[in-house]
Amino acid sequence: MAKRRVNPNVVKLNRNYDTTQLATCCGVHKNTVLNWRTAGLEPIDSSKPILFHGSVVREFLKQRNAKRKQPCGPGKLYCFSCREPRRPALGFVEYVLVTQKGGNLKAFCETCETVMHRKIRRADLEAKMPGVEVQFADRQLRLIGTLLPP
Ligand SMILES: [Zn+2]
């Protein structure tokens, strides 16, 4: 299962934290902080108790989050429930135009049926959503649609 991402900004830049304080501040278990050390988070020095400087922690978390970013591949949207990119259920997405050039895709997660969103430029639609049925939900189009005979 994917681990929760910690917001680096909860760490104060000019503060020192011991392991317990850092865990509390970030809302994680102490063991997570120990894992961070193994993963390269440097303490101020080797004296005990081990202290971490806020600015170092923040930089570490930022880099860690960046590494974990999962860009959505073609035909996928990020599902916040599954915490990974998923295909739309039934290969069907709705595209709501926000501007002339871009808008938001909306679809249901194939796995858990959570609503997923993805910002996308209209010009990129075919390249990024190959083999997916896109229904345009532009307000204007809808209005025009109602004027057409059935
Ligand atoms: Zn899902």
Side-chain angles (χ1 to χ4, degrees), residues 2-149:
K3 287 181 220 159
R4 209 157 58 84
R5 193 178 281 206
V6 175
N7 178 1
N9 297 328
V10 298
V11 181
K12 295 215 165 37
L13 281 178
N14 298 311
R15 234 199 96 171
N16 294 337
Y17 295 87
D18 67 22
T19 306
T20 309
Q21 288 166 339
L22 188 56
T24 308
C25 169
C26 295
V28 298
H29 194 269
K30 264 173 82 172
N31 288 347
T32 305
V33 176
L34 297 177
N35 288 339
W36 290 348
R37 267 198 77 185
T38 315
L41 176 61
E42 296 279 349
I44 292 168
D45 55 37
S46 54
S47 63
K48 302 228 170 170
I50 288 164
L51 292 175
F52 302 94
H53 197 263
S55 63
V56 175
V57 177
R58 201 186 273 198
E59 199 49 43
F60 172 82
L61 290 176
K62 267 188 199 165
Q63 284 185 12
R64 194 178 164 85
N65 285 350
K67 265 186 222 157
R68 282 166 52 159
K69 251 186 200 160
Q70 302 187 44
C72 294
K76 290 186 175 180
L77 293 86
Y78 188 84
C79 172
F80 281 96
S81 189
C82 297
R83 294 174 193 276
E84 53 184 286
R86 294 286 194 203
R87 293 197 172 281
L90 311 172
F92 179 84
V93 296
E94 197 179 62
Y95 188 55
V96 184
L97 270 174
V98 177
T99 66
Q100 284 296 312
K101 287 182 179 173
N104 295 313
L105 286 176
K106 184 180 154 189
F108 294 99
C109 171
E110 186 182 55
T111 308
C112 70
E113 298 184 348
T114 299
V115 178
M116 310 184 289
H117 295 275
R118 179 173 172 183
K119 250 190 191 169
I120 201 161
R121 292 195 317 161
R122 193 170 183 167
D124 295 338
L125 208 50
E126 275 180 35
K128 295 198 171 165
M129 290 288 138
V132 174
E133 191 186 332
V134 179
Q135 187 187 41
F136 286 85
D138 183 11
R139 260 187 208 162
Q140 248 177 334
L141 288 179
R142 262 192 192 154
L143 198 64
I144 293 165
T146 60
L147 298 174
L148 293 171

